[in-house]
Each structure stands twice: as C-alpha cells, then as structure tokens.
Amino acid sequence: MYQGSCLCGSVSYELKSPPKAVTNCHCNMCQKQHGTAFATYGSVPLKDLVYLKGREMLVAYESSSGITRKFCGTCGSSVEWSGNSKFPDWVSIAIGTLDTPLTVNRIKDVHPDTKVCWLHSESTS
Ligand SMILES: [Zn+2]
Ligand SMILES: [Zn+2]
C-alpha cells in the first residue's frame, strides 16, 4: 500500500499496487505543467487508485486530445495523467507526490529529444 498527497494536503490518495513502468517524461507539456526539467510518472490500474480525500479539489486539464492531467486546484501539485489509448484501464501518477518510500529498479526516459539543454545527469565541478 502506497500513500501520496499534494503540497497543501487537500488531496490524498492510496495506491493498492506499486506504480509500474516508472518513466521520466521529457516532453514539453510535462515541463510546462510541472515547471521542471521532466516529470516522473508510475502507472497503476485505475481500480488501484483510491482517493482518501480531496478528489473534488482536483482540476482536470486536457493537454492534448484524450489526455487528461489532474492537479490540485489549491496548490497546483500534479497528481494524475490518463488517457493512453493503449492502456485505457491504467492511470499514471506523478510519483513525486508519494509519501511512502518506493523502490524503483529502472526508470525509463521518454521524449529525450525535447530534454532541456540545462539538465545534466552528472554533476560536474
Ligand atoms: Zn494541494
Ligand atoms: Zn510528458
């Protein structure tokens, strides 16, 4: 069981299975929506995502046809990404909102072509 919440605490949720297929998404839409170099998502079956509180606080934004991004209407934390036509019964969770430690063996990078120019994976001095 994994629990997560938004920055202001209005929204909290539980995942009944560990997020799978953890991905760093470097697409422009994730950069804009999260305000970060990339967004990290993990996916669970829709039935495994249970809101403990604040579901009504979520705002849905359709960022492209059929793709819905949900975020807290108070603090702006990204929570959900859904609408992948190949996996209609799954939802992706912005796993930076998890409060429970998660072990991830491998993170896949997607949309590396739009990676921001200032992101370096190794620190240099
Ligand atoms: Zn919030
Ligand atoms: Zn993306």
Side-chain angles (χ1 to χ4, degrees), residues 96-108:
T97 58
L98 281 176
D99 297 311
T100 306
L102 172 71
T103 303
V104 177
N105 296 320
R106 181 172 159 269
I107 301 185
K108 190 178 171 193

Side-chain angles (χ1 to χ4, degrees), residues 24-31 39 41 69 81 110-111:
N24 286 338
C25 185
H26 297 267
C27 82
N28 287 137
M29 286 186 277
C30 284
Q31 289 162 357
Y41 284 104
R69 296 167 181 268
W81 183 104
V110 295
H111 296 292

Side-chain angles (χ1 to χ4, degrees), residues 5-11 57 71-77:
S5 58
C6 67
L7 175 60
C8 73
S10 299
V11 179
M57 301 292 293
F71 54 93
C72 173
T74 300
C75 69
S77 286

Side-chain angles (χ1 to χ4, degrees), residues 58-71:
L58 290 173
V59 176
Y61 172 65
E62 192 173 345
S63 56
S64 53
S65 181
I67 300 297
T68 303
R69 296 167 181 268
K70 291 184 187 172
F71 54 93

Side-chain angles (χ1 to χ4, degrees), residues 47 73 120:
K47 63 172 174 52
H120 303 285

Side-chain angles (χ1 to χ4, degrees), residues 17-25 39-45 81 84 87 90-93 95 102-110:
S17 61
K20 293 191 175 75
V22 176
T23 298
N24 286 338
C25 185
T40 307
Y41 284 104
S43 300
V44 296
W81 183 104
N84 187 332
F87 303 99
W90 287 70
V91 59
S92 297
I93 301 297
I95 60 169
L102 172 71
T103 303
V104 177
N105 296 320
R106 181 172 159 269
I107 301 185
K108 190 178 171 193
D109 283 274
V110 295

